[in-house]
Amino acid sequence: MAQNRSDDTAASPDAAPSGPARIDGVDAARAIAVFGMFTVHLGVESMGLLSPEGYAWTLHGQVRGNSSALFALLAGLSLALMTGRTDPVTGDGRRRAVVRVLTRAVLIGMLGLLLDLTGVPVAIILTYYAGFFVLALPLTRLRPGALWAVAGVLAVVGPPLSYLLRDTVIDAEPRTSSLSSLTEFLLTGYYPAITFMAFVAAGSAVGRTDLRSTAVRLRLLATGAGLSVFAYGGSWLLLHPLGGLDRLVEQGTAFMGGHPITPGMDPVLLEQLRAGVMEEANSISGQVPTDTWWWLAVNTPHTGTTFEIAEAVGQALIVLVACVWLAERVRWLMYPLASVGRMPLTVYTGHILVLMVIVGVDPVGWRQPWLLEWFVLGALVFATLWRLVASRGPAEAGLAVAADGMVDIVEERRAESRRAS
């Protein structure tokens, strides 16, 4: 998986990277994204420290959607680091960077397809992730302002465009795997590109800035807070004072039919109906239904609305700045977390393979208390020990070798072509 290494940043051997090779806080944020996906994949029944009767559902609701969004945002950040950091590479350096990115994308996509064949009850993000890299390649020429503009346009235009296309042109088919068609990748899948590319573009904009600058961090923190206020406040305004939630009640949901709201209606019944709508909103996985435009007013996870995108980007920026700040001040405490973030592809793949074995042994009752904690602890211990003896995780090292090998092949072919001409 793309990482903020100096040789990823410098697309050519003679291009000098700016500053130290890594920012541990970025790695720590990436680890939080991975652990967030652990939490969603394993479910509240797998928590021991936080029981389902306690704060387990609160934690699950907080990381659901936000962890995959943070993962995608950091993918965009990594892409910016691989293509020049604050200054986009050009010429021969850009060609080599593109070859590296495409090679990684192909291999990550193939790995995602293989993991999907394990049959674990998880929506594998890797194949989508690979596609996001390919779609984002044209964005690597842009600087922060333009990238933020792209992210904003995608966040504002993407959700209603997705709604319109799914309502009038695209017939969504039952999902048989994490990703089985181009339509799912673009519109109807678990992580549709039409909305998730906003996270990638925002991450690329962050990657084009100097994260070691206090002024940059403060701007990112303020942006994150502002987006969060907009997301929660805007959605609340549309759903409550402007009556959007009641319109959804009248329209009905997949769980219940529509119910007309009258002036003398029992307030207890009305609140129950409203709670039923919000329950459905919290169960959406990918995009909102197309039975009423009022669905675009919600900001619950995995809905792909403008408010959800703003909320996820805002929280991702706050998490990133907090991790960067903590990694500089309590490095010893953040060391295990940053170690996981240095090898996210290894850890992500490993947890799917371990989960495959566990589900195979007990397909029905595999979710047991403390399973999540064991997964997190195992990842922290493995990554920390591996980091002490190797600079990269095994999967990351394999990707780097393959990408460098493909660059050598392309350069040799170009040299042969020049000699022949």
Side-chain angles (χ1 to χ4, degrees):
M1 189 170 297
Q3 296 187 21
N4 49 322
R5 297 172 43 248
S6 58
D7 55 344
D8 284 340
T9 303
S12 59
D14 54 348
S18 57
R22 300 192 72 93
I23 301 176
D24 280 348
V26 173
D27 292 325
R30 193 178 287 113
I32 289 176
V34 172
F35 288 157
M37 286 188 281
F38 280 17
T39 303
V40 175
H41 295 167
L42 299 178
V44 295
E45 300 93 339
S46 301
M47 299 183 197
L49 188 62
L50 302 174
S51 66
E53 294 76 20
Y55 294 97
W57 281 108
T58 302
L59 175 62
H60 187 276
Q62 185 62 35
V63 300
R64 182 176 179 268
N66 286 328
S67 56
S68 54
L70 176 59
F71 204 55
L73 184 140
L74 293 172
L77 189 153
S78 295
L79 186 61
L81 296 177
M82 283 192 292
T83 56
R85 291 183 182 258
T86 56
D87 296 309
V89 291
T90 58
D92 292 343
R94 174 173 173 77
R95 183 184 64 254
R96 286 189 279 270
V98 167
V99 171
R100 285 191 173 92
V101 170
L102 289 177
T103 303
R104 290 168 183 258
V106 169
L107 293 177
I108 290 172
M110 291 174 61
L111 177 60
L113 292 175
L114 290 174
L115 292 178
D116 208 23
L117 294 177
T118 63
V120 296
V122 169
I124 305 295
I125 196 175
L126 294 184
T127 312
Y128 290 90
Y129 190 90
F132 298 157
F133 265 102
V134 176
L135 290 182
L137 274 176
L139 303 181
T140 57
R141 298 179 183 274
L142 304 180
R143 295 190 177 275
L147 287 165
W148 278 119
V150 170
V153 169
L154 289 171
V156 173
V157 176
L161 179 60
S162 170
Y163 183 103
L164 185 62
L165 290 174
R166 289 182 294 108
D167 186 39
T168 59
V169 179
I170 304 298
D171 292 325
E173 299 178 353
R175 293 169 178 167
T176 58
S177 63
S178 298
L179 179 60
S180 58
S181 70
L182 181 60
T183 300
E184 283 192 351
F185 171 69
L186 294 173
L187 284 171
T188 63
Y190 291 101
Y191 312 103
I194 195 168
T195 50
F196 259 73
M197 283 302 296
F199 304 131
V200 179
S204 296
V206 175
R208 286 279 181 255
T209 60
D210 182 8
L211 283 173
R212 292 183 175 84
S213 165
T214 300
V216 168
R217 295 177 189 177
L218 291 175
R219 285 197 296 269
L220 291 177
L221 195 61
T223 301
L227 287 172
S228 298
V229 170
F230 164 76
Y232 287 107
S235 178
W236 176 84
L237 179 64
L238 288 174
L239 289 177
H240 296 281
L242 297 182
L245 185 56
D246 289 345
R247 302 293 77 76
L248 290 171
V249 167
E250 292 179 330
Q251 178 64 37
T253 72
F255 301 140
M256 59 187 183
H259 198 297
I261 297 177
T262 59
M265 188 174 185
D266 181 2
V268 174
L269 174 59
L270 179 57
E271 287 306 312
Q272 290 175 343
L273 293 171
R274 289 170 173 169
V277 169
M278 293 310 299
E279 182 180 352
E280 172 155 352
N282 278 288
S283 69
I284 293 172
S285 296
Q287 55 284 136
V288 295
T290 57
D291 47 18
T292 171
W293 286 88
W294 279 107
W295 279 114
L296 294 178
V298 304
N299 73 331
T300 48
H302 276 306
T303 49
T305 68
T306 297
F307 295 117
E308 192 252 338
I309 294 172
E311 184 264 341
V313 171
Q315 292 202 18
L317 294 178
I318 293 171
V319 168
L320 176 60
V321 172
C323 286
V324 170
W325 187 84
L326 287 171
E328 291 178 346
R329 286 158 178 79
V330 284
R331 188 173 184 273
W332 61 271
L333 185 62
M334 299 292 283
Y335 187 91
L337 201 61
S339 299
V340 172
R342 284 174 174 248
M343 53 189 78
L345 184 60
T346 297
V347 173
Y348 183 93
T349 302
H351 105 279
I352 295 295
L353 296 178
V354 172
L355 188 57
M356 176 187 68
V357 174
I358 293 174
V359 173
V361 171
D362 187 0
V364 178
W366 63 271
R367 286 187 171 94
Q368 297 292 328
W370 298 103
L371 182 62
L372 173 61
E373 285 85 352
W374 279 113
F375 266 67
V376 172
L377 179 62
L380 289 169
V381 171
F382 171 82
T384 301
L385 294 177
W386 189 277
R387 181 180 176 183
L388 293 174
V389 298
S391 59
R392 298 169 173 161
E396 288 73 18
L399 278 185
V401 170
D404 290 342
M406 187 56 66
V407 168
D408 291 340
I409 292 172
V410 170
E411 293 303 308
E412 288 174 4
R413 294 291 175 85
R414 283 179 56 84
E416 292 174 358
S417 177
R418 285 196 297 267
R419 288 194 295 268
S421 60

